[in-house]
Amino acid sequence: TPQNFGLDDLLFALRWARDNADVFGGDPQRVMVFGVSAGGAAVAHLLTTAPPGLIFAAAMESPGGHQGWMAPGSRPDDDFVAPSVLAAASAATAAAVGCAVDDVICLRKVPNSDIITAAEGVRFAPSLVRRRPANPLSADGVETPLALLRLGAWQQGALIVGGQSCESCAATMALAGPPRNLTHFEFVDALQTYFAGSRIAWSDVATRYSKRIATEGRWRTLARIMSDSGHACSAQLHALAIGGDG
């Protein structure tokens, strides 16, 4: 069973905030958690795992945790994966550096840079295994935060879910250069690169956003596509789940 030390650290920090809030002039009964992107996914994790009384309110800005409709078919949509995925990734990484996956002595002798290089081609992400009956939205013993939110299995309370109008403008600049009037061929090339390996056809996306091109231009439309397909989609899914419509 994966230990999820990183996620356990979040719970430790939350308990520390409760126990020490009054030292900083805060109210231990009114602790609010906030996270952006992966931090938003962490907030969803806390809402579905933290003991009662630790969280008074929460906010998720562009929460990760679900990659939306651009996720390649070769990996799960959810950023939280099954234990079997982690076990396979660990075994592959250990083998690549000449060690058995359970040979800690051997692994400790391997330079960090070699392990990082070996791990670049495999999938690592949090894996949640809970001591509760499986539900229809579980896979391989895993219940993801988004699935639990949909079931209402979270600490009900004040919660804000938000995003930005151009989540991926920086990523768009990295892919297609600074804002400018992209040619049709530059736009198509960028879409083909972005959706390479995806289960979604770039041509279908271009058709769906054709009216945006006419009003906003190709660069801003590309940025909107990249924003919508990732964080904006995930934010909407989380909001719908919390509202009982997901």
Side-chain angles (χ1 to χ4, degrees), residues 149-240:
L149 291 175
R150 286 171 172 156
L151 291 172
W154 61 284
Q155 293 193 41
Q156 309 285 324
L159 178 60
I160 300 173
V161 180
Q164 303 177 40
S165 63
C166 193
E167 299 279 3
S168 298
C169 277
T172 304
M173 286 191 283
L175 176 64
R180 67 186 189 282
N181 186 21
L182 294 177
T183 67
H184 171 74
F185 296 104
E186 289 175 323
F187 179 72
V188 169
D189 181 67
L191 282 182
Q192 290 176 332
T193 299
Y194 183 65
F195 285 99
S198 172
R199 61 186 180 184
I200 300 297
W202 68 266
S203 55
D204 292 340
V205 177
T207 299
R208 184 186 306 176
Y209 283 81
S210 58
K211 293 183 179 180
R212 291 285 187 184
I213 295 175
T215 58
E216 298 183 344
R218 294 188 182 91
W219 192 96
R220 186 62 179 83
T221 299
L222 176 63
R224 186 177 294 279
I225 290 171
M226 293 173 64
S227 299
D228 289 354
S229 64
H231 283 93
C233 176
S234 183
Q236 183 182 40
L237 288 171
H238 281 78
L240 290 173

Side-chain angles (χ1 to χ4, degrees), residues 38 41 44-45 63-83 85-86 123-128 130 135-140 142-150 199 229-230 233-235 237-238 241 246:
H45 162 70
H66 192 287
Q67 291 303 308
W69 44 268
M70 59 77 65
S74 60
R75 51 166 277 195
D77 282 352
D78 286 294
D79 282 348
F80 292 86
V81 300
V85 175
L86 292 184
R123 174 98 169 107
F124 283 104
S127 180
L128 306 182
R130 304 171 188 277
N135 64 67
L137 298 177
S138 299
D140 196 16
V142 176
E143 294 176 325
T144 67
L146 181 57
L148 292 169
L149 291 175
R150 286 171 172 156
R199 61 186 180 184
S229 64
C233 176
S234 183
L237 288 171
H238 281 78

Side-chain angles (χ1 to χ4, degrees), residues 12 39 50 66 90 95 111-112 118:
F12 177 85
H66 192 287
S90 298
N112 289 341

